[in-house]
């Protein structure tokens, strides 16, 4: 996987799920998720990973850049449910979940795409991958890049027409289908991002009932 573009498996070795949302703010994108959420806390990637691994056992030495009292009062240290961070680059906001698969739920993608468009990219620890694209609450395309002919969206031709991703898949090696497909889609939609977007402190929440 290309280690210079976000997302990639070098940043998230056990997999990831990312939703890109066009022309909404990170806080707006988080608020659209149709589940109860904790208070927002600003975390960088390493701080979130420490909290994800340790839960309520995390202490100040594990997250020196964050006030531990703020973490406790926010509810984010509850070990149940996914942890999410949101940031932006150019005209797009991203929401990233280490490992997944909460963000891959259809109702989440539908909700965040209302009155705009959204792209989902999911990679599991075992390298199983999925891509979905939605506009105004409707999932138009949803497929495994290894089998692009089996698309479960309502209008599969729409994403192909916007991005030409099938040519990117057909022109490369089968093992590279997901990366080639995703990069072509991101480039065409304008949501290609450098890895630096995920390096800074970003608004973060826990979704206690997400799983």
């Amino acid at each position: 996987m290309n280690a210079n573009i976000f997302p990639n498996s070098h940043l998230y070795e056990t997999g990831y799920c990312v939703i890109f949302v066009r022309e909404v703010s990170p806080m707006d994108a988080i608020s659209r998720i149709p589940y109860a959420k904790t208070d927002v806390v600003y975390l960088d990637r390493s701080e979130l990973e420490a909290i994800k691994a340790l839960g309520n056992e995390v202490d100040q030495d594990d997250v020196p850049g964050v006030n531990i009292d703020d973490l406790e009062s926010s509810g984010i240290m509850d070990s149940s449910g996914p942890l999410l961070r949101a940031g932006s680059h150019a005209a797009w906001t991203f929401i990233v979940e280490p490992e997944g698969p909460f963000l891959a739920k259809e109702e989440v993608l539908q909700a965040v795409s209302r009155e705009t468009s959204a792209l989902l990219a999911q990679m599991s620890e075992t390298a199983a991958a999925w891509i979905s694209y939605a506009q105004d609450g409707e999932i138009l395309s949803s497929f495994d890049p290894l089998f692009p002919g089996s698309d479960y969206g309502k209008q599969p031709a729409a994403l192909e027409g916007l991005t030409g991703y099938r040519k990117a898949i057909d022109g490369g090696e089968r093992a590279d289908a997901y990366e080639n497909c995703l990069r072509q889609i991101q480039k065409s939609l304008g949501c290609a991002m450098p890895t630096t977007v995920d390096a800074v402190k970003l608004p973060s929440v826990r979704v206690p009932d997400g799983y």
Side-chain angles (χ1 to χ4, degrees):
M1 294 291 291
N2 190 326
N4 298 314
I5 303 175
F6 177 83
N8 68 67
S9 56
H10 296 276
L11 296 177
Y12 296 99
E13 296 180 354
T14 58
Y16 60 80
C17 199
V18 180
I19 290 180
F20 300 91
V21 192
R22 186 173 60 85
E23 294 183 347
V24 301
S25 70
M27 293 299 292
D28 186 4
I30 288 173
S31 72
R32 292 177 178 220
I33 294 172
Y35 286 77
K37 296 166 283 291
T38 63
D39 294 339
V40 171
V41 176
Y42 282 74
L43 302 171
D44 65 27
R45 188 171 61 245
S46 64
E47 291 163 345
L48 180 135
E49 291 290 352
I51 294 167
K52 185 174 184 298
L54 299 172
N56 57 19
E57 298 298 320
V58 72
D59 61 31
Q60 193 65 70
D61 291 337
D62 299 312
V63 286
V66 186
N67 186 306
I68 201 74
D69 292 334
D70 290 343
L71 290 180
E72 291 175 346
S73 63
S74 72
I76 207 167
M77 290 181 2
D78 183 340
S79 60
S80 66
L83 280 167
L84 313 175
R85 296 170 70 232
S88 63
H89 179 76
W92 290 76
T93 277
F94 65 88
I95 311 170
V96 57
E97 174 193 6
E99 295 183 10
F102 167 73
L103 287 179
K105 291 186 175 186
E106 287 189 2
E107 63 264 30
V108 175
L109 185 61
Q110 289 167 336
V112 299
S113 71
R114 291 196 177 103
E115 299 183 348
T116 186
S117 56
L119 173 71
L120 165 78
Q122 182 183 15
M123 171 67 76
S124 74
E125 187 175 10
T126 60
W130 200 265
I131 292 174
S132 297
Y133 178 72
Q135 290 182 350
D136 196 19
E138 184 173 66
I139 298 176
L140 304 184
S141 194
S142 187
F143 63 98
D144 180 339
L146 288 176
F147 306 99
S150 298
D151 193 309
Y152 299 92
K154 293 185 177 181
Q155 298 179 38
L159 183 61
E160 167 62 15
L162 287 171
T163 67
Y165 70 81
R166 290 290 294 270
K167 184 176 181 180
I169 293 175
D170 295 340
E173 298 293 330
R174 180 174 171 82
D176 300 324
Y178 168 70
E179 181 174 7
N180 292 341
C181 178
L182 177 60
R183 300 318 175 204
Q184 177 62 32
I185 292 171
Q186 286 187 286
K187 178 181 178 181
S188 299
L189 296 180
C191 60
M193 300 183 182
T195 55
T196 51
V197 300
D198 194 35
V200 297
K201 286 184 180 292
L202 298 173
S204 308
V205 296
R206 175 87 70 173
V207 185
D209 298 321
Y211 294 136

